[in-house]
């Protein structure tokens, strides 16, 4: 054990159940001063639940929490904050229609004799934001900033509130490489100041870069606690998943299967599609049964391309041709009817309907495709939901569970199921494995290949080069909102993709 081990927080024998689910059984967790501690496990393992009992979102069924040598049992996040525990959750949970300052000081506004001192608050907010290197106007609405900036604002707020423990539950899912670097810098500084940081992520590279210690959960049970530098990557994965998985082997297998697209029929073609201020007019062609990747940095126009094809954003000009048929005016309902599916990146905003059950969420797009007059019978709904729950290994006691009660990664799987259920001609997947654990990630990548081999066309947007290499037959690289190169066959390697993103390449993206 570490010499300077000075426990800040000890959770002992923690038990928490939900109807039909034992989310935590007898879990121990220790956090020391000045350490960054990774909490790892598959989707549904209990990571967020452990955090939520610590922060008073859920009440515990058993066990005790000792913080700074005192027994605590926070009844609400506010109470936890007062004790010095603050949290940034998986999805940004600030108020979009308040200003940045209001968000930073919500629930703890300093008061003057008469009313609230806004000048002071705005000044203080600027200072707090500067600590995370954000130089933005705090009087702006939160919603006017990108998800990444909103996430950094949430982190700035949490850092300002917290005295002892900072919890980051998948904060990096929506950050790009530079923003992650920025965040790590801040985390290192807080660590030096003696803060204890709990860090949840599915990015293994990040775990090895920033954390000192790892606690692993599986199915609500504690697997163990390890020093990061003493646990190999393969051991970590094996302990999380409970079996061995070999990512490399699977990637090689796919590489052999990659097909040349020359002789295959075109399935979807966008010609001169563009929108002023968003995307230069571009042509893009997707073959039947092909996985076409879109690569590029955050902001290069990948998601915008998908949104224009699906008609979420209306194109100024150009046309989408599906299976030989020109669609002049594309909008989502039309897109679904014509056989497109779109699994968005921001699942909370565009994906899940929290109050509906898993079954209802899965059936949603299929019902839209068939039209409201052709109601899908309960029996068929159950059949379909059952099929995808099994296929994607969605962890839930029942398909009648409200989707908001699922773990983050399992919600993501439900959205994927929704689009698979429509059996689309073209399936657009925007970062399909964000927030998905390593084991399931490989399964989803295999599924993408299988679907393509069965004739589905897939447009895959991913920031993971590994994922693009594992799945794609062809890749279009975007930069500054326009295609700058195309890769196929043996050119599809991580280093060539990276080089093309950086230097550009042959301009031939049709
Ligand atoms: N409010 C709730 N009601 C019912 N069940 C819940 C609730 N919250 C969590 N669960 C269940 O508890 C289990 C653990 O979920 P938790 O959110 O802690 O997983 P996680 O490890 O954070 O996973 P992920 O990596 O997907 O975020 C899951 O089976 C989940 O469905
Ligand atoms: Mg979680």
């Amino acid at each position: 054990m570490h010499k300077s081990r000075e426990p800040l927080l000890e959770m002992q024998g923690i038990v928490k159940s939900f109807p039909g689910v034992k989310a935590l059984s007898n879990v121990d967790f220790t956090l020391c001063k000045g350490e960054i501690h990774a909490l790892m496990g598959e989707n549904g393992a209990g990571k967020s639940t452990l955090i939520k009992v610590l922060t008073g979102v859920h009440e515990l069924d058993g066990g005790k929490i000792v913080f700074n040598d005192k027994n605590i049992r926070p009844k609400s996040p506010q109470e936890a904050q007062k004790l010095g525990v603050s949290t940034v959750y998986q999805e940004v949970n600030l108020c979009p229609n308040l200003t940045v300052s209001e968000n930073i000081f919500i629930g703890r506004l300093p008061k003057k004799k008469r009313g609230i001192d806004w000048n002071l608050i705005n000044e203080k907010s600027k200072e707090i934001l500067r600590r995370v290197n954000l130089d933005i106007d705090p009087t702006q609405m939160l919603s006017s900033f990108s998800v990444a900036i909103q996430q950094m604002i949430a982190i700035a707020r949490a850092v300002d509130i917290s005295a002892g423990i900072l919890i980051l539950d998948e904060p990096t899912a929506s950050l790009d490489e530079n923003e992650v670097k920025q965040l790590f810098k801040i985390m290192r500084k807080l660590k030096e100041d003696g803060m204890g940081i709990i860090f949840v992520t599915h990015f293994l590279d990040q775990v090895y870069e920033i954390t000192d210690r790892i606690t692993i959960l599986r199915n609500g049970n504690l697997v163990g606690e390890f020093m990061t530098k003493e646990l190999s990557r393969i051991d970590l994965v094996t302990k999380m998943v409970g079996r061995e998985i070999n990512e490399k082997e699977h990637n090689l297998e796919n590489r052999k299967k990659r097909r040349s697209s020359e002789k295959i029929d075109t399935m979807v073609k966008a010609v001169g599609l563009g929108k002023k201020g968003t995307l230069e007019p571009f042509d893009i062609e997707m073959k039947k049964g092909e996985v076409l990747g879109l690569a590029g940095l955050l902001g290069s126009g990948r998601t915008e391309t998908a949104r224009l094809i699906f008609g979420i954003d209306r194109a100024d000009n150009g046309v989408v041709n599906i299976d030989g048929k020109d669609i002049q005016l594309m909008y989502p309902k039309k897109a679904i009817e014509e056989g497109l599916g779109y699994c968005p990146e921001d699942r909370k905003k565009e994906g899940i309907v929290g109050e509906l059950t898993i079954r209802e969420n899965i059936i949603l797009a299929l019902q839209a495709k068939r039209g409201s007059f052709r109601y899908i019978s309960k029996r068929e709904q159950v059949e379909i939901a059952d099929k995808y729950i099994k296929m994607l290994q969605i962890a839930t006691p029942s398909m009648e569970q409200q989707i908001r009660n699922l773990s983050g990664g399992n919600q993501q799987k439900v959205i994927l199921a929704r689009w698979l259920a429509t059996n689309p001609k073209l399936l657009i997947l925007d970062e399909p494995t964000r927030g998905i654990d390593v084991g399931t990630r490989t399964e989803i990548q295999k599924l993408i290949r299988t679907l393509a081999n069965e004739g589905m066309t897939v447009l895959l947007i991913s920031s993971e080069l590994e994922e693009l290499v594992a799945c794609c037959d062809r890749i279009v690289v975007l930069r500054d909102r326009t295609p700058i190169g195309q890769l196929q066959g043996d050119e599809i390697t991580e280093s060539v993709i990276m080089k093309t993103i950086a230097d550009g390449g042959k301009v031939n993206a049709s």
Side-chain angles (χ1 to χ4, degrees), residues 16-19 21-24 40-50 52 58 90 169-170 200 202 217 220 347 395-397 401-402 404-411 435-437:
K16 178 70 199 173
S17 296
F18 298 107
V21 187
K22 190 139 198 198
L24 297 171
M40 306 287 299
E42 290 182 289
N43 298 129
K47 303 177 298 291
S48 295
T49 305
L50 188 69
K52 285 178 181 162
H58 297 314
Q90 227 155 338
D169 191 350
E170 291 194 57
V200 181
H202 288 290
L217 301 179
R347 58 178 175 266
T396 176
Q401 178 80 272
Q402 285 189 341
R404 64 169 167 213
N405 289 338
L406 289 191
S407 80
N410 282 297
Q411 292 182 5
I436 301 282
D437 66 61

Side-chain angles (χ1 to χ4, degrees), residues 180-215:
V180 171
K181 267 194 203 134
Q182 207 55 259
L183 173 65
F184 283 2
K185 233 162 91 191
I186 298 159
M187 285 167 70
R188 288 199 182 95
K189 187 172 150 275
L190 296 170
K191 175 183 148 169
E192 262 166 43
D193 296 345
M195 193 178 260
I197 301 176
I198 304 174
F199 183 50
V200 181
T201 182
H202 288 290
F203 295 105
L204 301 189
D205 292 342
Q206 296 182 357
V207 172
Y208 282 99
E209 188 179 338
I210 192 85
T211 71
D212 305 299
R213 206 182 297 268
I214 302 174
T215 290

Side-chain angles (χ1 to χ4, degrees), residues 476-495:
V476 168
V477 179
L478 300 178
R479 191 168 65 193
D480 295 335
R481 302 171 175 270
T482 189
I484 55 156
Q486 183 185 190
L487 309 172
Q488 50 194 358
D490 294 341
E491 295 169 321
I492 300 184
T493 64
E494 288 187 35
S495 61

